[in-house]
Amino acid sequence: MKRVDPFYKSKEWRKCREKILIRDHYLCQQCLRNGKLTTANTVHHIKPREDYPELALDEDNLESICPPCHNQEHPEKGRKKTEEPRRKRRATIMKAEANPERW
């Protein structure tokens, strides 16, 4: 089970996050730089919080971003390699014919 960093539950972060989303009009800033219009629901630390904790709430270090762009920024937060790979689904294909009694 994934643990949520207590920082992201803090009142300060939630207020700051909302302020950034409003500032950026809930639009993904990376997509905008590429000429696309995409809604954002995530706020991204441009300089990683782990390396720059003093910038954790600095508005100049934060931008609104969509989930696909955020996943590109943080591939390490995706599926872990230690997890069991998903099984391929198999479907049994059966031949179906119309009921001749109904025609």
Side-chain angles (χ1 to χ4, degrees):
M1 183 180 229
K2 221 177 192 183
R3 278 195 147 166
V4 177
D5 185 332
F7 170 79
Y8 294 110
K9 294 283 187 184
S10 73
K11 185 177 185 179
E12 294 81 8
W13 169 250
R14 290 192 317 247
K15 285 176 72 176
C16 185
R17 176 186 178 278
E18 187 65 23
K19 189 174 184 180
I20 298 304
L21 287 167
I22 291 168
R23 177 196 73 189
D24 294 342
H25 305 287
Y26 285 83
L27 294 173
C28 176
Q29 300 305 295
Q30 286 190 9
C31 286
L32 275 177
R33 287 191 286 272
N34 293 318
K36 291 188 339 186
L37 203 58
T38 311
T39 58
N41 63 2
T42 302
V43 173
H44 172 67
H45 289 92
I46 299 165
K47 291 183 180 179
R49 193 171 62 88
E50 295 78 21
D51 299 333
Y52 300 91
E54 69 278 8
L55 299 177
L57 299 172
D58 185 335
E59 293 177 19
D60 293 330
N61 187 48
L62 299 168
E63 67 180 352
S64 299
I65 193 169
C66 66
C69 286
H70 196 252
N71 291 340
Q72 284 180 345
E73 288 290 324
H74 295 288
E76 74 280 2
K77 293 184 180 178
R79 255 173 69 119
K80 303 289 184 210
K81 290 181 181 178
T82 57
E83 287 182 19
E84 192 175 308
R86 293 185 184 190
R87 293 188 185 127
K88 290 183 180 178
R89 292 184 180 193
R90 292 185 180 207
T92 304
I93 299 175
M94 299 169 36
K95 186 176 180 181
E97 295 179 11
N99 184 349
E101 295 175 10
R102 295 204 62 200
W103 300 108

PDB file of all heavy atoms in Angstrom, residues 24-49:
ATOM      1  N   ASP A  24      -2.824  29.242 -12.253  1.00  0.00           N
ATOM      2  CA  ASP A  24      -2.583  28.661 -13.575  1.00  0.00           C
ATOM      3  C   ASP A  24      -3.877  28.305 -14.310  1.00  0.00           C
ATOM      4  O   ASP A  24      -3.841  27.631 -15.341  1.00  0.00           O
ATOM      5  CB  ASP A  24      -1.703  27.413 -13.441  1.00  0.00           C
ATOM      6  CG  ASP A  24      -0.294  27.737 -12.961  1.00  0.00           C
ATOM      7  OD1 ASP A  24       0.124  28.909 -13.055  1.00  0.00           O
ATOM      8  OD2 ASP A  24       0.399  26.809 -12.483  1.00  0.00           O
ATOM      9  N   HIS A  25      -5.018  28.749 -13.773  1.00  0.00           N
ATOM     10  CA  HIS A  25      -6.334  28.518 -14.386  1.00  0.00           C
ATOM     11  C   HIS A  25      -6.621  27.030 -14.605  1.00  0.00           C
ATOM     12  O   HIS A  25      -7.283  26.660 -15.578  1.00  0.00           O
ATOM     13  CB  HIS A  25      -6.468  29.277 -15.710  1.00  0.00           C
ATOM     14  CG  HIS A  25      -6.204  30.741 -15.579  1.00  0.00           C
ATOM     15  ND1 HIS A  25      -7.081  31.602 -14.973  1.00  0.00           N
ATOM     16  CD2 HIS A  25      -5.131  31.486 -15.961  1.00  0.00           C
ATOM     17  CE1 HIS A  25      -6.580  32.826 -14.981  1.00  0.00           C
ATOM     18  NE2 HIS A  25      -5.400  32.778 -15.561  1.00  0.00           N
ATOM     19  N   TYR A  26      -6.109  26.193 -13.714  1.00  0.00           N
ATOM     20  CA  TYR A  26      -6.310  24.734 -13.797  1.00  0.00           C
ATOM     21  C   TYR A  26      -5.873  24.177 -15.155  1.00  0.00           C
ATOM     22  O   TYR A  26      -6.459  23.227 -15.664  1.00  0.00           O
ATOM     23  CB  TYR A  26      -7.767  24.361 -13.504  1.00  0.00           C
ATOM     24  CG  TYR A  26      -8.120  24.438 -12.035  1.00  0.00           C
ATOM     25  CD1 TYR A  26      -8.475  25.644 -11.458  1.00  0.00           C
ATOM     26  CD2 TYR A  26      -8.080  23.307 -11.232  1.00  0.00           C
ATOM     27  CE1 TYR A  26      -8.790  25.728 -10.105  1.00  0.00           C
ATOM     28  CE2 TYR A  26      -8.403  23.372  -9.883  1.00  0.00           C
ATOM     29  CZ  TYR A  26      -8.755  24.593  -9.327  1.00  0.00           C
ATOM     30  OH  TYR A  26      -9.056  24.664  -7.993  1.00  0.00           O
ATOM     31  N   LEU A  27      -4.829  24.766 -15.729  1.00  0.00           N
ATOM     32  CA  LEU A  27      -4.310  24.298 -17.013  1.00  0.00           C
ATOM     33  C   LEU A  27      -2.894  23.765 -16.827  1.00  0.00           C
ATOM     34  O   LEU A  27      -2.086  24.346 -16.087  1.00  0.00           O
ATOM     35  CB  LEU A  27      -4.293  25.438 -18.032  1.00  0.00           C
ATOM     36  CG  LEU A  27      -5.661  25.964 -18.440  1.00  0.00           C
ATOM     37  CD1 LEU A  27      -5.507  27.199 -19.326  1.00  0.00           C
ATOM     38  CD2 LEU A  27      -6.463  24.883 -19.143  1.00  0.00           C
ATOM     39  N   CYS A  28      -2.592  22.683 -17.524  1.00  0.00           N
ATOM     40  CA  CYS A  28      -1.259  22.083 -17.460  1.00  0.00           C
ATOM     41  C   CYS A  28      -0.261  23.022 -18.131  1.00  0.00           C
ATOM     42  O   CYS A  28      -0.394  23.331 -19.328  1.00  0.00           O
ATOM     43  CB  CYS A  28      -1.256  20.719 -18.148  1.00  0.00           C
ATOM     44  SG  CYS A  28       0.390  19.966 -18.209  1.00  0.00           S
ATOM     45  N   GLN A  29       0.717  23.453 -17.374  1.00  0.00           N
ATOM     46  CA  GLN A  29       1.692  24.410 -17.885  1.00  0.00           C
ATOM     47  C   GLN A  29       2.635  23.772 -18.906  1.00  0.00           C
ATOM     48  O   GLN A  29       3.052  24.430 -19.863  1.00  0.00           O
ATOM     49  CB  GLN A  29       2.475  25.028 -16.722  1.00  0.00           C
ATOM     50  CG  GLN A  29       1.585  25.769 -15.737  1.00  0.00           C
ATOM     51  CD  GLN A  29       0.747  26.833 -16.413  1.00  0.00           C
ATOM     52  OE1 GLN A  29       1.280  27.805 -16.941  1.00  0.00           O
ATOM     53  NE2 GLN A  29      -0.571  26.667 -16.424  1.00  0.00           N
ATOM     54  N   GLN A  30       2.954  22.499 -18.732  1.00  0.00           N
ATOM     55  CA  GLN A  30       3.816  21.823 -19.708  1.00  0.00           C
ATOM     56  C   GLN A  30       3.093  21.676 -21.039  1.00  0.00           C
ATOM     57  O   GLN A  30       3.672  21.899 -22.099  1.00  0.00           O
ATOM     58  CB  GLN A  30       4.263  20.470 -19.181  1.00  0.00           C
ATOM     59  CG  GLN A  30       5.317  20.596 -18.112  1.00  0.00           C
ATOM     60  CD  GLN A  30       5.940  19.259 -17.751  1.00  0.00           C
ATOM     61  OE1 GLN A  30       5.718  18.251 -18.404  1.00  0.00           O
ATOM     62  NE2 GLN A  30       6.731  19.265 -16.703  1.00  0.00           N
ATOM     63  N   CYS A  31       1.830  21.285 -21.002  1.00  0.00           N
ATOM     64  CA  CYS A  31       1.051  21.163 -22.245  1.00  0.00           C
ATOM     65  C   CYS A  31       0.921  22.521 -22.925  1.00  0.00           C
ATOM     66  O   CYS A  31       1.046  22.621 -24.148  1.00  0.00           O
ATOM     67  CB  CYS A  31      -0.328  20.570 -21.958  1.00  0.00           C
ATOM     68  SG  CYS A  31      -0.298  18.799 -21.600  1.00  0.00           S
ATOM     69  N   LEU A  32       0.692  23.581 -22.135  1.00  0.00           N
ATOM     70  CA  LEU A  32       0.576  24.925 -22.706  1.00  0.00           C
ATOM     71  C   LEU A  32       1.857  25.317 -23.436  1.00  0.00           C
ATOM     72  O   LEU A  32       1.799  25.913 -24.516  1.00  0.00           O
ATOM     73  CB  LEU A  32       0.286  25.949 -21.608  1.00  0.00           C
ATOM     74  CG  LEU A  32      -1.165  26.131 -21.206  1.00  0.00           C
ATOM     75  CD1 LEU A  32      -1.275  27.127 -20.060  1.00  0.00           C
ATOM     76  CD2 LEU A  32      -2.007  26.583 -22.373  1.00  0.00           C
ATOM     77  N   ARG A  33       3.009  24.983 -22.860  1.00  0.00           N
ATOM     78  CA  ARG A  33       4.288  25.290 -23.515  1.00  0.00           C
ATOM     79  C   ARG A  33       4.409  24.562 -24.853  1.00  0.00           C
ATOM     80  O   ARG A  33       5.144  24.995 -25.727  1.00  0.00           O
ATOM     81  CB  ARG A  33       5.456  24.945 -22.600  1.00  0.00           C
ATOM     82  CG  ARG A  33       5.621  25.919 -21.443  1.00  0.00           C
ATOM     83  CD  ARG A  33       6.932  25.737 -20.704  1.00  0.00           C
ATOM     84  NE  ARG A  33       6.964  24.557 -19.862  1.00  0.00           N
ATOM     85  CZ  ARG A  33       6.556  24.498 -18.600  1.00  0.00           C
ATOM     86  NH1 ARG A  33       6.042  25.585 -18.020  1.00  0.00           N
ATOM     87  NH2 ARG A  33       6.628  23.394 -17.912  1.00  0.00           N
ATOM     88  N   ASN A  34       3.684  23.447 -24.985  1.00  0.00           N
ATOM     89  CA  ASN A  34       3.700  22.674 -26.235  1.00  0.00           C
ATOM     90  C   ASN A  34       2.489  22.972 -27.113  1.00  0.00           C
ATOM     91  O   ASN A  34       2.200  22.231 -28.053  1.00  0.00           O
ATOM     92  CB  ASN A  34       3.766  21.174 -25.924  1.00  0.00           C
ATOM     93  CG  ASN A  34       5.083  20.791 -25.290  1.00  0.00           C
ATOM     94  OD1 ASN A  34       6.140  21.256 -25.703  1.00  0.00           O
ATOM     95  ND2 ASN A  34       5.028  19.957 -24.266  1.00  0.00           N
ATOM     96  N   GLY A  35       1.741  24.013 -26.788  1.00  0.00           N
ATOM     97  CA  GLY A  35       0.617  24.432 -27.607  1.00  0.00           C
ATOM     98  C   GLY A  35      -0.648  23.615 -27.428  1.00  0.00           C
ATOM     99  O   GLY A  35      -1.550  23.688 -28.247  1.00  0.00           O
ATOM    100  N   LYS A  36      -0.737  22.842 -26.338  1.00  0.00           N
ATOM    101  CA  LYS A  36      -1.940  22.048 -26.076  1.00  0.00           C
ATOM    102  C   LYS A  36      -2.679  22.629 -24.876  1.00  0.00           C
ATOM    103  O   LYS A  36      -2.075  23.165 -23.961  1.00  0.00           O
ATOM    104  CB  LYS A  36      -1.562  20.587 -25.774  1.00  0.00           C
ATOM    105  CG  LYS A  36      -1.022  19.859 -26.957  1.00  0.00           C
ATOM    106  CD  LYS A  36      -0.813  18.367 -26.766  1.00  0.00           C
ATOM    107  CE  LYS A  36      -0.691  17.859 -25.370  1.00  0.00           C
ATOM    108  NZ  LYS A  36      -0.354  16.451 -25.266  1.00  0.00           N
ATOM    109  N   LEU A  37      -3.985  22.472 -24.869  1.00  0.00           N
ATOM    110  CA  LEU A  37      -4.824  22.939 -23.773  1.00  0.00           C
ATOM    111  C   LEU A  37      -5.327  21.722 -23.012  1.00  0.00           C
ATOM    112  O   LEU A  37      -6.140  20.954 -23.530  1.00  0.00           O
ATOM    113  CB  LEU A  37      -5.996  23.739 -24.354  1.00  0.00           C
ATOM    114  CG  LEU A  37      -6.679  24.745 -23.459  1.00  0.00           C
ATOM    115  CD1 LEU A  37      -5.684  25.773 -22.943  1.00  0.00           C
ATOM    116  CD2 LEU A  37      -7.784  25.438 -24.219  1.00  0.00           C
ATOM    117  N   THR A  38      -4.807  21.520 -21.814  1.00  0.00           N
ATOM    118  CA  THR A  38      -5.140  20.345 -21.008  1.00  0.00           C
ATOM    119  C   THR A  38      -5.413  20.780 -19.573  1.00  0.00           C
ATOM    120  O   THR A  38      -4.657  21.585 -19.020  1.00  0.00           O
ATOM    121  CB  THR A  38      -3.965  19.332 -21.000  1.00  0.00           C
ATOM    122  OG1 THR A  38      -3.532  19.102 -22.336  1.00  0.00           O
ATOM    123  CG2 THR A  38      -4.358  18.034 -20.359  1.00  0.00           C
ATOM    124  N   THR A  39      -6.461  20.244 -18.966  1.00  0.00           N
ATOM    125  CA  THR A  39      -6.747  20.582 -17.568  1.00  0.00           C
ATOM    126  C   THR A  39      -5.713  19.919 -16.654  1.00  0.00           C
ATOM    127  O   THR A  39      -5.192  18.849 -16.950  1.00  0.00           O
ATOM    128  CB  THR A  39      -8.154  20.132 -17.146  1.00  0.00           C
ATOM    129  OG1 THR A  39      -8.275  18.734 -17.346  1.00  0.00           O
ATOM    130  CG2 THR A  39      -9.216  20.876 -17.911  1.00  0.00           C
ATOM    131  N   ALA A  40      -5.450  20.589 -15.557  1.00  0.00           N
ATOM    132  CA  ALA A  40      -4.483  20.094 -14.574  1.00  0.00           C
ATOM    133  C   ALA A  40      -5.177  19.906 -13.239  1.00  0.00           C
ATOM    134  O   ALA A  40      -6.062  20.671 -12.874  1.00  0.00           O
ATOM    135  CB  ALA A  40      -3.336  21.088 -14.426  1.00  0.00           C
ATOM    136  N   ASN A  41      -4.754  18.878 -12.510  1.00  0.00           N
ATOM    137  CA  ASN A  41      -5.274  18.673 -11.156  1.00  0.00           C
ATOM    138  C   ASN A  41      -4.144  18.380 -10.171  1.00  0.00           C
ATOM    139  O   ASN A  41      -4.397  18.040  -9.032  1.00  0.00           O
ATOM    140  CB  ASN A  41      -6.316  17.555 -11.134  1.00  0.00           C
ATOM    141  CG  ASN A  41      -5.737  16.214 -11.528  1.00  0.00           C
ATOM    142  OD1 ASN A  41      -4.544  16.092 -11.783  1.00  0.00           O
ATOM    143  ND2 ASN A  41      -6.574  15.205 -11.580  1.00  0.00           N
ATOM    144  N   THR A  42      -2.919  18.516 -10.630  1.00  0.00           N
ATOM    145  CA  THR A  42      -1.743  18.225  -9.813  1.00  0.00           C
ATOM    146  C   THR A  42      -0.852  19.457  -9.790  1.00  0.00           C
ATOM    147  O   THR A  42      -0.760  20.167 -10.785  1.00  0.00           O
ATOM    148  CB  THR A  42      -0.965  17.038 -10.426  1.00  0.00           C
ATOM    149  OG1 THR A  42      -1.834  15.922 -10.504  1.00  0.00           O
ATOM    150  CG2 THR A  42       0.247  16.664  -9.585  1.00  0.00           C
ATOM    151  N   VAL A  43      -0.192  19.687  -8.658  1.00  0.00           N
ATOM    152  CA  VAL A  43       0.793  20.766  -8.570  1.00  0.00           C
ATOM    153  C   VAL A  43       2.157  20.112  -8.413  1.00  0.00           C
ATOM    154  O   VAL A  43       2.370  19.272  -7.545  1.00  0.00           O
ATOM    155  CB  VAL A  43       0.477  21.735  -7.407  1.00  0.00           C
ATOM    156  CG1 VAL A  43       1.593  22.743  -7.223  1.00  0.00           C
ATOM    157  CG2 VAL A  43      -0.844  22.442  -7.673  1.00  0.00           C
ATOM    158  N   HIS A  44       3.065  20.496  -9.292  1.00  0.00           N
ATOM    159  CA  HIS A  44       4.387  19.879  -9.405  1.00  0.00           C
ATOM    160  C   HIS A  44       5.463  20.803  -8.854  1.00  0.00           C
ATOM    161  O   HIS A  44       5.444  22.011  -9.128  1.00  0.00           O
ATOM    162  CB  HIS A  44       4.646  19.576 -10.888  1.00  0.00           C
ATOM    163  CG  HIS A  44       6.020  19.128 -11.195  1.00  0.00           C
ATOM    164  ND1 HIS A  44       6.525  17.926 -10.769  1.00  0.00           N
ATOM    165  CD2 HIS A  44       7.005  19.712 -11.918  1.00  0.00           C
ATOM    166  CE1 HIS A  44       7.759  17.799 -11.201  1.00  0.00           C
ATOM    167  NE2 HIS A  44       8.069  18.865 -11.908  1.00  0.00           N
ATOM    168  N   HIS A  45       6.397  20.238  -8.083  1.00  0.00           N
ATOM    169  CA  HIS A  45       7.580  20.969  -7.633  1.00  0.00           C
ATOM    170  C   HIS A  45       8.600  20.926  -8.764  1.00  0.00           C
ATOM    171  O   HIS A  45       9.061  19.846  -9.141  1.00  0.00           O
ATOM    172  CB  HIS A  45       8.183  20.323  -6.380  1.00  0.00           C
ATOM    173  CG  HIS A  45       7.352  20.509  -5.157  1.00  0.00           C
ATOM    174  ND1 HIS A  45       6.400  19.606  -4.754  1.00  0.00           N
ATOM    175  CD2 HIS A  45       7.333  21.523  -4.267  1.00  0.00           C
ATOM    176  CE1 HIS A  45       5.833  20.041  -3.641  1.00  0.00           C
ATOM    177  NE2 HIS A  45       6.368  21.201  -3.331  1.00  0.00           N
ATOM    178  N   ILE A  46       8.947  22.075  -9.326  1.00  0.00           N
ATOM    179  CA  ILE A  46       9.899  22.135 -10.431  1.00  0.00           C
ATOM    180  C   ILE A  46      11.265  21.635  -9.959  1.00  0.00           C
ATOM    181  O   ILE A  46      11.855  20.762 -10.587  1.00  0.00           O
ATOM    182  CB  ILE A  46       9.973  23.563 -11.001  1.00  0.00           C
ATOM    183  CG1 ILE A  46       8.587  23.967 -11.532  1.00  0.00           C
ATOM    184  CG2 ILE A  46      11.039  23.664 -12.088  1.00  0.00           C
ATOM    185  CD1 ILE A  46       8.414  25.444 -11.789  1.00  0.00           C
ATOM    186  N   LYS A  47      11.742  22.189  -8.861  1.00  0.00           N
ATOM    187  CA  LYS A  47      12.950  21.658  -8.216  1.00  0.00           C
ATOM    188  C   LYS A  47      12.449  20.701  -7.142  1.00  0.00           C
ATOM    189  O   LYS A  47      11.633  21.089  -6.307  1.00  0.00           O
ATOM    190  CB  LYS A  47      13.780  22.781  -7.594  1.00  0.00           C
ATOM    191  CG  LYS A  47      14.418  23.682  -8.631  1.00  0.00           C
ATOM    192  CD  LYS A  47      15.293  24.719  -7.969  1.00  0.00           C
ATOM    193  CE  LYS A  47      15.935  25.610  -9.012  1.00  0.00           C
ATOM    194  NZ  LYS A  47      16.779  26.638  -8.381  1.00  0.00           N
ATOM    195  N   PRO A  48      12.912  19.448  -7.147  1.00  0.00           N
ATOM    196  CA  PRO A  48      12.369  18.426  -6.238  1.00  0.00           C
ATOM    197  C   PRO A  48      12.400  18.835  -4.762  1.00  0.00           C
ATOM    198  O   PRO A  48      13.387  19.391  -4.274  1.00  0.00           O
ATOM    199  CB  PRO A  48      13.267  17.209  -6.477  1.00  0.00           C
ATOM    200  CG  PRO A  48      13.911  17.450  -7.790  1.00  0.00           C
ATOM    201  CD  PRO A  48      13.999  18.933  -7.968  1.00  0.00           C
ATOM    202  N   ARG A  49      11.300  18.567  -4.104  1.00  0.00           N
ATOM    203  CA  ARG A  49      11.168  18.893  -2.681  1.00  0.00           C
ATOM    204  C   ARG A  49      12.209  18.177  -1.836  1.00  0.00           C
ATOM    205  O   ARG A  49      12.694  18.715  -0.840  1.00  0.00           O
ATOM    206  CB  ARG A  49       9.753  18.527  -2.209  1.00  0.00           C
ATOM    207  CG  ARG A  49       9.389  19.099  -0.863  1.00  0.00           C
ATOM    208  CD  ARG A  49       7.940  18.881  -0.557  1.00  0.00           C
ATOM    209  NE  ARG A  49       7.584  17.491  -0.472  1.00  0.00           N
ATOM    210  CZ  ARG A  49       7.666  16.766   0.650  1.00  0.00           C
ATOM    211  NH1 ARG A  49       8.059  17.311   1.768  1.00  0.00           N
ATOM    212  NH2 ARG A  49       7.323  15.503   0.646  1.00  0.00           N
TER     213      ARG A  49
END
